[in-house]
Amino acid sequence: QVQLVESGGGLVQAGGSLRVSCAASGRIFSINVMGWYRQAPGKQRELVATITSGGNTNYADAVKGRFTISRDNAKNTVYLEMNSLKPEDTAVYYCNAELRASVIANTKTYWGQGTQVTVSS
């Protein structure tokens, strides 16, 4: 029912920038938190950044100062602006959302399919 669709991934040289987007669709009553995670080959999935419906943000130390997360509540969309990219940022980036399908439903976490971001040296 609920679907998260990501876009904007690709290949970038070190020092470059990239902006990825994720839009949530389907039956949605409200979205509390949206965020971005990433996973490199052979490594665990790790938090990149999150943002609440009120605009409060938090970032992983590895990306703080370089990445910016934002959201458009009217569009149920979250964005991640990535600047000064490094080869270490290469990973599959996953969008997620903690949301309620209705006023009587519990909150659940949903994930996107993931989008590949590759940073060359």
Side-chain angles (χ1 to χ4, degrees), residues 35-52:
W36 290 93
Y37 292 72
R38 66 185 183 185
Q39 186 170 22
K43 295 186 177 181
Q44 294 183 341
R45 186 174 299 185
E46 64 178 4
L47 170 72
V48 177
T50 62
I51 183 168
T52 69

Side-chain angles (χ1 to χ4, degrees), residues 3 6 16 21 32 50 66 72 88 108 112:
Q3 185 177 13
E6 303 162 345
S21 304
N32 182 24
T50 62
R66 299 188 296 118
D72 186 333
E88 307 92 270
K108 293 184 177 181

Side-chain angles (χ1 to χ4, degrees), residues 53-69:
S53 61
N56 295 318
T57 62
N58 72 88
Y59 298 88
D61 290 340
V63 306
K64 193 170 186 178
R66 299 188 296 118
F67 292 8
T68 301
I69 188 171

Side-chain angles (χ1 to χ4, degrees), residues 46-98:
E46 64 178 4
L47 170 72
V48 177
T50 62
I51 183 168
T52 69
S53 61
N56 295 318
T57 62
N58 72 88
Y59 298 88
D61 290 340
V63 306
K64 193 170 186 178
R66 299 188 296 118
F67 292 8
T68 301
I69 188 171
S70 62
R71 66 187 284 177
D72 186 333
N73 292 335
K75 297 180 179 180
N76 291 330
T77 300
V78 63
Y79 308 91
L80 184 69
E81 179 71 33
M82 299 177 285
N83 300 311
S84 301
L85 283 163
K86 305 174 181 179
E88 307 92 270
D89 295 318
T90 296
V92 177
Y93 283 70
Y94 296 92
C95 169
N96 87 333
E98 297 179 357

